[in-house]
Amino acid sequence: MNIYTARIILLVFTFLFAGSGFAIAAGSPPQRIVSLAPVITEMLYSLGLGDQVVGVTSACDRPAEAARKTRIGSMPNPSLEAVLALKPDIVVMSREGNPKKAAERLQALGKKIYVFQPADLAGLPAAIREMGQALGAASKADEMAREMENAMQEAVSAASANQSAARKTLFIIWPKPLIVAGSGTIIDQAMELNGMSNMAAKAKGSYPRYSAETIIRQQPELIIIGAAHDEAMGRQVQSLLQQLKMLEAVKKGQVCYLGDGLYRPGARVVEGLKELKKCGETY
Amino acid sequence: MNAKKQHTALRAGLLVFGSSLIILLCLISGQQLLNPFTLDQETLNTLLALRLPRVIVAFLMGGALGASGAVLQGIFRSPLADPYILGISSGAALLVASGLLFGINLFSLTIPALSFAGAVATGGLVVLLGRGWHGLQPERLLLAGIGVGFFLSATLMLLMTIASNDGLKQAFLWMSGDLSMVDFGAVPFGLFFILIGLALAFYHHKGLNALTLGDEVAYSLGFNPVSERLWLFMAASLMTAAAVSMGGVVGFIGLVVPHIVRRHIGSDAKTVLPLSVVSGGTLLCLADTLGRTVAAPLELPSGVVAAFIGAPYFIFLLQRKQNR
């Protein structure tokens, strides 16, 4: 078969499958969902759609049940063949982390896709509601969004009740190599809500590389360390704090340990917001 | 003489037959082994829309790199010349990435044209740096290529780090020759460039044979070494540019393939060129198939698999050269 015959057959099939995709869109909620990102997988389970999930990425570790689903490859490079083989009604992906090309190819193959794309922390509740509607879980999504809005509101009112100036804060994502949360991230926006001034906001990039020297020069008043439940990371954090021991913040123990709730823009952001608020109040 | 010709033809026929079998096998194997005799629509869809473009692009890319390697090894009289080692592929990739970053738009010609310009510019620079007192020196050329190649890939890395563009973030996969997302979109221009390059190389195949024997011999046989080398270099650049524009940077195919062909079938450019296309294409198809099969559903970039096959061969060649 030459290329041209193949292309014609391909074209015919594309239309055929595109047609069936639209038919599903108009009808009942999807029964077979493939998730292309950990945040999506978590969100699908929180929306009560866990049973409908048929495929996840190799990085989808939460909740534990998700790890038993069929793997379709990695987030930056999902295997299109593996996705197709699962015959999904809809493929849910994230704008951050999934290649645009994957969305284009899946659409060309006639698969229905949904792209979760919260603009920022403030836009997250709306994005969750929209996704809930698209997947037939509107009421659950609304509940989740409202909980998130409440958590944000609480943070704002607590911060405005506090009269003192915004504290210079640094959010450490990973100690070695030293990566901190920069501007434009959900973490940065959550810090702002809590009346903290992110020292790394002026650095270039969302997750800038930092050096111990820069931290010492900038003199943060509060240091927050994320994903502190990780054991290997705990040891590296101790050695970093040893390097930073001349800092007032370290001497006074103004170091707060957080979970990884703010790392994925999904359901557990509520948890992360609450922990961050507590950090601000305790230290 | 006639018997020798027949012998060559027989071997070439065997190679083509074996390659066709391997390509068919590549088409049906992957994450799932597809049975072509019990086709349902979903299987056919996977076969035609996902596997077929991958196999075709891999074959064209590998073929272009193989032929381009055969040409470069001939005109530089170095068994270690290859578009990847001489930095030509990196140059093509860098110019494409910069073009995308600065929003250069030549419509559907953007990627192939930038790729060609990058290949020619890098090749020219490497040749300039590789010139010693007595014309081109293979060792110097190789070192110049490695140096320039490193510099260009570092620049590409830098571009990728500072750019926030989604397309450029994908450049990493592109740099390692990832074919998991290819479709037929890049095929027409790629094919066009490859055909021109191949035709050019074929037209000058006698010159290529003569250059292999040395500039003086070529001159006494009635060829102008300078112009022959220039034309053939253009042909190699066109083919490399086409390969890069279709699927990114893949190394070592252009190095390994011409050696295999010369060793087992014959060293006349008229045979080496087409058979390098066939075996280069087959080798990259095989590398891509292995990449999507061994760690399924994770996709290993075909460039990485090709390097696993090619790098040991490169070391073997170096070793053999030393022992001589």
Side-chain angles (χ1 to χ4, degrees):
Chain A
M1 172 174 10
N2 67 28
I3 305 172
Y4 296 100
T5 329
R7 286 176 84 172
I8 290 165
I9 296 175
L10 167 70
L11 216 67
V12 170
F13 269 90
T14 308
F15 284 121
L16 220 73
F17 278 81
S20 61
F22 289 125
I24 292 162
S28 53
Q31 293 308 306
R32 296 181 67 80
I33 307 176
V34 168
S35 155
L36 293 193
V39 60
I40 303 290
T41 306
E42 270 188 52
M43 193 99 84
L44 291 172
Y45 273 89
S46 312
L47 290 175
L49 298 169
D51 290 340
Q52 280 91 302
V53 174
V54 290
V56 298
T57 71
S58 49
C60 293
D61 51 353
R62 277 174 200 244
E65 300 100 273
R68 284 194 291 274
K69 302 281 182 178
T70 309
R71 304 282 161 125
I72 51 82
S74 69
M75 179 164 56
N77 195 17
S79 160
L80 297 176
E81 274 189 27
V83 174
L84 276 202
L86 290 171
K87 300 183 171 55
D89 297 337
I90 190 164
V91 180
V92 186
M93 48 204 302
S94 142
R95 194 183 52 183
E96 298 268 319
N98 286 138
K100 226 162 65 191
K101 185 94 186 167
E104 289 165 10
R105 289 302 303 279
L106 284 168
Q107 266 181 322
L109 290 164
K111 285 294 156 198
K112 194 170 174 252
I113 62 164
Y114 181 81
V115 184
F116 177 63
Q117 41 189 351
D120 51 17
L121 182 58
L124 190 53
I128 291 175
R129 284 196 181 98
E130 196 197 287
M131 180 164 145
Q133 265 156 15
L135 300 177
S139 65
K140 203 81 179 236
D142 190 52
E143 196 180 301
M144 203 201 274
R146 202 168 306 147
E147 203 184 335
M148 201 167 288
E149 282 160 349
N150 289 340
M152 284 191 240
Q153 197 49 51
E154 271 170 39
V156 172
S157 38
S160 60
N162 187 353
Q163 294 298 317
S164 58
R167 271 194 295 178
K168 290 202 297 181
T169 311
L170 190 70
F171 194 113
I172 294 177
I173 306 255
W174 198 254
K176 264 178 194 180
L178 186 51
I179 309 275
V180 299
S183 61
T185 58
I186 291 220
I187 297 173
D188 178 69
Q189 290 147 6
M191 283 162 83
E192 201 188 319
L193 285 186
N194 280 289
M196 299 167 181
S197 146
N198 185 3
M199 281 175 41
K202 284 200 189 78
K204 207 166 159 47
S206 309
Y207 295 98
R209 260 307 271 278
Y210 245 51
S211 67
E213 249 178 70
T214 317
I215 301 183
I216 290 167
R217 202 177 55 234
Q218 292 188 329
Q219 296 280 340
E221 294 166 280
L222 174 62
I223 295 175
I224 299 172
I225 294 166
H229 57 275
D230 192 302
E231 204 177 304
M233 181 171 165
R235 279 195 298 275
Q236 290 178 351
V237 166
Q238 287 317 311
S239 91
L240 175 71
L241 289 180
Q242 191 64 30
Q243 271 184 301
L244 298 175
K245 65 181 175 208
M246 67 268 273
L247 277 181
E248 280 301 305
V250 178
K251 275 187 206 157
K252 288 194 205 149
Q254 303 282 72
V255 180
C256 178
Y257 296 91
L258 229 61
D260 60 353
L262 292 171
Y263 283 18
R264 294 175 183 172
R268 281 188 302 119
V269 161
V270 173
E271 216 174 280
L273 280 169
K274 285 182 177 156
E275 282 179 5
L276 191 67
K277 179 164 164 275
K278 210 170 147 209
C279 260
E281 288 163 356
T282 327
Y283 293 96
Chain B
M1 192 61 203
N2 221 0
K4 199 182 168 197
K5 256 188 185 164
Q6 270 183 353
H7 193 64
T8 310
L10 182 72
R11 285 187 169 209
L14 272 178
L15 181 81
V16 172
F17 179 70
S19 295
S20 325
L21 280 186
I22 293 177
I23 287 167
L24 276 180
L25 197 70
C26 289
L27 201 57
I28 60 163
S29 54
Q31 207 200 352
Q32 298 167 289
L33 197 68
L34 298 180
N35 183 348
F37 301 106
T38 57
L39 281 181
D40 58 15
Q41 285 198 335
E42 202 81 20
T43 315
L44 200 62
N45 201 21
T46 307
L47 208 61
L48 292 179
L50 294 176
R51 297 264 175 93
L52 197 62
R54 274 182 91 151
V55 167
I56 288 174
V57 168
F59 185 82
L60 289 177
M61 269 181 83
L65 291 171
S68 150
V71 171
L72 291 173
Q73 286 172 14
I75 60 176
F76 294 138
R77 272 204 303 285
S78 163
L80 300 177
D82 144 285
Y84 179 68
I85 292 168
L86 290 179
I88 298 176
S89 300
S90 309
L94 177 63
L95 211 65
V96 172
S98 333
L100 294 177
L101 179 64
F102 297 116
I104 293 174
N105 190 357
L106 311 169
F107 305 101
S108 44
L109 259 177
T110 313
I111 293 178
L114 286 173
S115 176
F116 178 62
V120 171
T122 317
L125 180 68
V126 170
V127 169
L128 271 183
L129 292 172
R131 283 186 107 87
W133 292 108
H134 310 286
L136 274 176
Q137 291 172 346
E139 276 77 16
R140 245 185 111 98
L141 188 79
L142 207 62
L143 288 177
I146 291 168
V148 170
F150 268 123
F151 179 76
L152 294 175
S153 0
T155 315
L156 188 51
M157 282 279 197
L158 184 74
L159 269 187
M160 278 156 44
T161 322
I162 56 175
S164 49
N165 189 316
D166 177 59
L168 275 183
K169 280 187 179 157
Q170 282 294 302
F172 176 71
L173 286 175
W174 199 46
M175 265 178 77
S176 46
D178 177 71
L179 298 182
S180 60
M181 296 281 166
V182 294
D183 51 19
F184 286 116
V187 170
F189 275 105
L191 189 63
F192 181 66
F193 270 51
I194 292 172
L195 288 180
I196 295 183
L198 259 184
L200 201 58
F202 260 112
Y203 187 73
H204 289 275
H205 78 269
K206 284 184 182 148
L208 184 57
N209 277 335
L211 279 176
T212 323
L213 302 171
D215 283 13
E216 279 95 20
V217 181
Y219 199 77
S220 67
L221 288 172
F223 294 100
N224 178 355
V226 178
S227 74
E228 288 297 317
R229 191 169 273 134
L230 193 67
W231 281 115
L232 285 161
F233 179 68
M234 288 302 237
S237 300
L238 271 172
M239 292 187 281
T240 306
V244 172
S245 74
M246 282 191 292
V249 178
V250 170
F252 298 107
I253 299 275
L255 175 83
V256 177
V257 163
H259 281 282
I260 296 177
V261 173
R262 273 196 300 262
R263 173 175 287 194
H264 296 290
I265 294 161
S267 53
D268 182 358
K270 216 164 114 191
T271 358
V272 173
L273 281 173
L275 293 183
S276 291
V277 174
V278 174
S279 17
T282 310
L283 191 60
L284 192 56
C285 274
L286 197 64
D288 186 46
T289 305
L290 283 176
R292 66 167 178 258
T293 315
V294 287
L298 292 180
E299 301 255 4
L300 305 179
S302 57
V304 172
V305 182
F308 268 118
I309 305 170
Y313 195 80
F314 181 73
I315 295 166
F316 162 74
L317 280 179
L318 275 176
Q319 207 68 29
R320 219 172 48 135
K321 212 167 170 298
Q322 210 171 37
N323 292 342
R324 243 181 224 172

